[in-house]
Amino acid sequence: MILQIKSIENYTARCEAKGVSRDVSLFMMQEEELNVDDFVVVHVGYAIQKISEQEAQTAWELYDQMLAADS
């Protein structure tokens, strides 16, 4: 899942994508500088990788195409 960070408090970020909000643990990315508006790959509630806005947009477009094909 690709989410955008909206707020950060300690090792927890409030993230969202396409109207869905989630609390995400940043514990596994302690060495990475993360800021509000950054995009992260989330797996089982943990941010595991920081990605660019362009990479996030591309992923969301692919997800939308897969969902449209499934309908």
Side-chain angles (χ1 to χ4, degrees):
M1 177 181 300
I2 309 296
L3 298 172
Q4 184 177 25
I5 297 173
K6 294 301 182 178
S7 66
I8 299 173
E9 185 174 327
N10 298 318
Y11 291 114
T12 302
R14 188 67 176 171
C15 300
E16 74 175 42
K18 299 194 176 266
V20 176
S21 295
R22 298 270 189 268
D23 286 330
V24 173
S25 174
L26 302 177
F27 187 78
M28 294 177 69
M29 296 193 63
Q30 293 179 45
E31 304 299 321
E32 183 82 36
E33 182 179 337
L34 295 171
N35 299 296
V36 171
D37 292 329
D38 284 344
F39 295 87
V40 290
V41 177
V42 177
H43 180 66
V44 293
Y46 289 88
I48 58 171
Q49 182 181 357
K50 180 178 172 180
I51 63 172
S52 71
E53 182 175 1
Q54 180 60 44
E55 290 169 314
Q57 290 290 13
T58 299
W60 288 334
E61 288 170 7
L62 289 171
Y63 295 153
D64 287 343
Q65 290 173 11
M66 287 188 293
L67 289 173
D70 208 28
S71 297

